[in-house]
Structure formats: C-alpha cells, structure tokens
Amino acid sequence: MTDVATLWSYLSTTPLIWLTTTIIGYLIADGVARRLGNPPWANPVLLSVLLIAPVLWLTRTNYATYFEGAQFIHFLLGPATVALALPLWDNRDTIRTSIAPIVLALLAGSIVAAGSAILLARAFGLPVDILLSLAPKSTTAPVALGISEAIGGIPALTAVLVIMTGIIGAVTVTPLMNLLRITDWRARGFAVGVAAHGIGTARAFQVNPVAGAYAGIAMALNALLTSLIVPLLVRWLI
Amino acid sequence: MLQTLGLLLGCQLLGEVTVRGFGLPVPGPVLGLTLLVLLLAAMPRLAEQLRPTTTVILANLSFLFVPAGVGVIGNLGVLSDDGVALLAILTLSTVLSMLAAVGTFIGVRRATERWAA
C-alpha cells in the first residue's frame, strides 16, 4: 500500500481533486441553503467559498493549483451567459412592452452604480487608483477588468471588488425589495442584474424565473453600457 | 445535451471572434447571447430542444461563480487597510444602484401604462 505522502503527491498534481472538492463544496452549500428555504444570507456562492477556502488553507494549496481543477467550472460561465438567451426568448412578449422601463432603468442603475462608488470612495478619502478600480464593479468580471485596466485602476483589486459586489447584491436584494413592497418580478430581477451582474442573476433565478430572465437582460445590457459610461463618469467625478 | 452545448459554445466562439476581430467593448459571450436570440427568432422550434440543458445550467448558475469566489479569499490582501471602507462603499453603492433601477423601472412602467390607457 502506498503511503499518504505518495498518494497526496499524486493527487495534488491532478485537476481531479480540486474539481471534485468544488462540486462537493457547492453541493453541501446548496443543500444547506435549500433546506433553510434559500434565505438571502445563505448565499450558495458565499457558503461554498467558506467551505472550500479552509480546505485549501489546511492543505497549503495555492490558488493557481486549485484553479487547475476549478477552471473547468469557471470556463462554463461563457456558455451559461449564452444560455440566458432562452429565458430572454421565453419572455419576449413582456420585454417588448417594457422597452422604455428597461432602457431608463438600465441608465439609472448603471450610472448610480459607478457614480456612487466613485463619490463614496472620494468621501472616504481613498486613493485614486482604488477609486478607479471600484468604478466598474457592477458589471460582469471580464468587462470590469478591461475597463479597470483602461482607466488606470488595479485589475486584481477590481476582480475582488466585482465578486464582492455580486455577493452583496445577491444577499441584499430580497430583503430590500420586500421592505419596499416591490412585487413586480421584472423590476426586482432587473435591479439586481444591473447592480450585481451574474451572481445577482443567479440569485434572481433561485427566487423566480421571470426575475431571472430580467436580471439576465440587465446584466448583458450593463456589460455594454458600463464600458461606455465609466470612462465619462471618471472624467467628470475625479 | 451535446447538441445544446455545441450550439452554446458555437455562439460564444462566434461572439468572441467578432469581438476580437472588430475590437468591440462587449464580452464575447454577451454577443453570443444576442446571436442565439436571433437564431431562436429564426427557428422558434429550437427553444424546446435547448430547454432541458439550458434549464440545468441556469438553475446552477451560482456553482459557476465558486472558483472566482474562492479566488477572492486568497486575494483579500489587495484590499490592504481599506477593507472596511471598501465593504461599506460596495454595500451602499449596490443598494443605491438597485434603488435607482427598481424606482425607474416601476415609475416608467406606470407612466407608459397610463399613457397607453
């Protein structure tokens, strides 16, 4: 029988172990969240991260090694974004009648997302490079990183801020909308899609399919709009 | 399932190639999404073929963000001394953005409904 060290040196060189760990971590997190009735604070992304990060720490595994396994999951974000076409198609009739609310809510949500981040960071007295890294935080990661780099931010910081924004939006959207007694699933979904990109959209799908469809539209449109307005807002507000 | 996956990846690939080719400020998958909507408009029957696999993918959308989420924990050092301020800014800004979007959506919807009636 091989000893534990030999076995570990084999396992740590294959993507298998971290791919499996990610799936098991998520299944546990999602199972717990479902059993609790999917309360907003039991966000499956957050719970999974809290389960997996200590395992990496205990095994002294660095992120690059973890990602060799986890990249297969990460890769699926692309086709999953394309898959949002189906809920969009399913809701085409209501979308066609709400073009005006969609366009104006997109403009308002997107401008406030970037503008308030810049102004709040100034109020907190944060340095300019951090402020620039914050500005594109509400849009999907690949776009946000591109913008951050183009305007002189720190892409690595933006990457962290984008994911944190997604989780914050996913956790706060349900209590916020319930507090305001908003019952229109289109408006609820759209708001979280603009403010909290894909992670917010994932939450919307967890709650209601119409909310999910509208969150998907908002996320896709905001990917386009943010890259146009952030450079302008930065020029005006800094 | 394989046909659906092939179609999704095909749309993404065409999206990526177009974005890179023309230097567009959109992510390839978003252009791929648009392309698939156009395909669905041309062939509405496609929707039912795509549905089983697409439903599974979208029901587990959170799962796909776990690798990036784990990356945040390992990279929290980039927040340095500003962690608390950044958390406060992100929370406030995200809530403000949702308020602006939801308020505008409902306000404009009511106004256009009144106008249409």
Side-chain angles (χ1 to χ4, degrees), chain A residues 167-193:
Chain A
I167 292 176
I168 290 169
V171 170
T172 54
V173 61
T174 306
L176 181 71
M177 297 299 160
N178 288 348
L179 188 74
L180 297 169
R181 300 208 179 92
I182 308 279
T183 51
D184 185 340
W185 288 114
R186 295 174 292 174
R188 289 175 69 127
F190 197 86
V192 79

Side-chain angles (χ1 to χ4, degrees), chain B residues 6-100:
Chain B
L7 186 61
L8 294 176
L9 288 172
C11 287
Q12 184 186 349
L13 181 62
L14 266 173
E16 302 277 13
V17 168
T18 312
V19 163
R20 269 155 225 274
F22 293 93
L24 304 176
V26 214
V30 170
L31 202 63
L33 186 171
T34 319
L35 201 67
L36 187 53
V37 171
L38 294 176
L39 270 175
L40 283 164
M43 285 184 285
R45 273 183 316 143
L46 202 60
E48 291 325 303
Q49 286 183 320
L50 293 175
R51 195 168 307 278
T53 305
T54 309
T55 308
V56 173
I57 295 176
L58 293 179
N60 293 291
L61 201 51
S62 295
F63 173 54
L64 310 184
F65 286 99
V66 173
V70 172
V72 168
I73 297 283
N75 232 337
L76 280 177
V78 294
L79 302 179
S80 58
D81 297 337
D82 304 315
V84 178
L86 284 169
L87 189 64
I89 293 168
L90 289 180
T91 307
L92 265 170
S93 169
T94 305
V95 167
L96 286 173
S97 166
M98 286 196 287
L99 287 176

Side-chain angles (χ1 to χ4, degrees), chain A residues 7 15 24 35 40-41 44 70 85 90 102 109 116 139 152 156 159 179 183 208 212-213 225 233:
Chain A
L7 185 64
I24 292 173
R35 195 148 302 170
W41 54 267
D90 288 340
I102 286 175
S116 69
T139 196
L179 188 74
T183 51
N208 179 283
L225 188 63
L233 285 173

